[in-house]
């Protein structure tokens, strides 16, 4: 079972790239972030024509998350996180697919630091952590997938000193990330590649992609029911180099010993 995550940075603006990548990579499940489209502008039929069922939680101009699947029609289990009834951002959607609970998330950026956006980010991580604990208690295989907007360690940025005052790298956010992991989650990429410098995001500015001046922002957290099934993981970095690309590249993991129910 190949699960991918892709911050598409505008699904309608980059639909051709998405369809091209889906045809090339053939992931079984895809978590998308930053749809930047209301629900009625989501290209569900075009994705179905490409072989993917979809559920989505859109928002005009900002945010937005979706899950695509080559399996049968998706069973949605949640949209949005509890804990803040005034939070109207579309940042979380969850489904049960092929025996696995998959949470697709777009964690707040939090910049500028300090300020209310950073406080919102910290509170959102705390809400995610509470929900993650509930998911773990069910005893099911769970993957929390998406753009976390957190640089966990120095190894995950090309220039740590540049990001000391950036919300992506602030110790307050990284401390909450560590607390989430200690709850019983494994960072899939660091499990497989503990010392490799891996990036998933390259800014549009200053020729960052061609200089490989990147960040690792997109993560797969697996609970104990899934981690032993982790086989390989990778970043489709070349997609970032396509014309009119998102500033993120698609990332993916392959889980072994799962029944293949794909059509």
């Amino acid at each position: 079972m190949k699960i991918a995550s892709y911050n598409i940075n505008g699904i309608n603006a980059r639909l051709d790239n998405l369809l091209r990548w889906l045809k090339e990579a053939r992931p079984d499940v895809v978590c998308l972030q930053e749809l930047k489209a209301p629900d009625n502008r989501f290209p569900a039929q075009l994705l179905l024509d490409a072989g993917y069922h979809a559920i989505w939680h859109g928002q005009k101009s900002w945010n937005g998350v979706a899950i695509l699947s080559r399996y049968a029609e998706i069973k949605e289990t949640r949209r949005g996180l509890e804990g803040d009834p005034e939070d109207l951002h579309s940042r979380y959607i969850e489904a049960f697919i092929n025996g696995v609970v998959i949470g697709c998330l777009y964690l707040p950026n939090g910049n500028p630091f300090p300020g209310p956006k950073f406080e919102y980010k910290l509170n959102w991580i705390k809400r995610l952590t509470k929900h993650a604990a509930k998911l773990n208690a069910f005893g099911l295989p769970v993957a929390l997938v998406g753009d976390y907007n957190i640089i966990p360690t120095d190894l995950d940025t090309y220039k740590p000193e540049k990001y000391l005052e950036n919300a992506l790298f602030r110790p307050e956010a990284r401390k909450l990330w560590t607390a989430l992991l200690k709850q019983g989650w494994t960072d899939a990429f660091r499990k497989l590649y503990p010392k490799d410098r891996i990036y998933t995001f390259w800014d549009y500015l200053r020729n960052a992609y061609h200089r490989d001046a990147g960040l690792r922002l997109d993560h797969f957290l697996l609970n104990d029911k899934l981690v032993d099934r982790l086989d390989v993981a990778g970043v489709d970095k070349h997609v970032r180099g396509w014309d009119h690309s998102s500033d993120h590249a698609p990332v993916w993991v392959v889980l072994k010993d799962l029944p293949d129910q794909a059509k």
Side-chain angles (χ1 to χ4, degrees):
M1 184 180 185
K2 184 178 183 180
I3 305 175
S5 181
Y6 191 8
N7 180 322
I8 193 65
N9 194 15
I11 190 167
N12 290 305
R14 306 185 202 282
L15 184 59
D16 288 346
N17 280 13
L18 175 60
L19 293 172
R20 175 184 173 186
W21 170 72
L22 289 173
K23 184 177 181 180
E24 173 187 287
R26 296 292 292 165
D28 297 306
V29 178
V30 184
C31 294
L32 297 175
Q33 303 86 38
E34 278 203 272
L35 304 178
K36 295 183 177 179
D39 284 341
N40 63 357
R41 292 289 312 282
F42 185 83
Q45 187 58 54
L46 290 173
L47 290 167
L48 188 59
D49 293 344
Y52 288 88
H53 297 271
I55 59 173
W56 61 94
H57 185 22
Q59 184 174 342
K60 184 179 180 180
S61 302
W62 306 100
N63 307 319
V65 285
I67 300 176
L68 315 182
S69 173
R70 290 200 304 116
Y71 301 106
E73 190 171 342
I74 302 171
K75 181 180 179 181
E76 181 179 324
T77 54
R78 166 167 285 276
R79 57 176 54 205
L81 291 176
E82 295 178 339
D84 184 355
E86 296 183 357
D87 182 8
L88 302 179
H89 290 193
S90 300
R91 294 185 177 275
Y92 186 84
I93 195 166
E94 181 184 290
F96 189 67
I97 302 174
N98 198 29
V100 180
V101 178
I102 298 175
C104 171
L105 62 99
Y106 175 49
L107 202 144
N109 178 288
N111 282 303
F113 167 84
K117 291 185 177 181
F118 185 66
E119 294 305 315
Y120 170 63
K121 178 190 186 101
L122 298 183
N123 288 331
W124 205 95
I125 301 171
K126 293 173 184 176
R127 290 164 57 203
L128 175 66
T129 301
K130 289 182 179 180
H131 182 62
K134 291 181 181 180
L135 290 178
N136 244 343
F138 293 143
L140 295 170
V142 184
L144 295 175
V145 180
D147 179 359
Y148 279 76
N149 269 317
I150 296 174
I151 305 169
T153 71
D154 287 6
L155 192 61
D156 301 306
T157 169
Y158 75 103
K159 187 177 288 187
E161 62 274 16
K162 179 180 176 180
Y163 289 90
L164 294 177
E165 297 303 312
N166 191 297
L168 304 175
F169 198 48
R170 286 295 304 171
E172 298 92 335
R174 289 190 289 149
K175 182 178 179 180
L176 291 174
W177 163 268
T178 301
L180 177 59
L181 294 183
K182 288 181 178 178
Q183 188 186 80
W185 302 91
T186 297
D187 179 345
F189 272 75
R190 284 293 165 238
K191 172 74 173 177
L192 293 175
Y193 315 112
K195 297 182 180 180
D196 291 359
R197 192 169 290 277
I198 299 169
Y199 303 139
T200 66
F201 166 91
W202 296 262
D203 201 306
Y204 290 127
L205 302 175
R206 296 178 293 279
N207 205 29
Y209 174 70
H210 295 286
R211 293 190 296 116
D212 200 27
L215 309 171
R216 189 172 76 100
L217 300 178
D218 305 271
H219 309 303
F220 291 77
L221 296 191
L222 309 179
N223 72 350
D224 290 345
K225 298 289 183 179
L226 269 188
V227 69
D228 289 340
R229 296 178 176 181
L230 180 60
D231 188 15
V232 294
V235 179
D236 290 341
K237 180 181 176 181
H238 67 286
V239 176
R240 174 62 180 84
W242 290 352
D243 289 343
H244 201 52
S245 172
S246 168
D247 43 10
H248 292 250
V251 296
W252 49 267
V253 301
V254 174
L255 305 174
K256 59 186 178 181
D257 301 326
L258 285 170
D260 187 1
Q261 299 171 0
K263 293 182 177 182

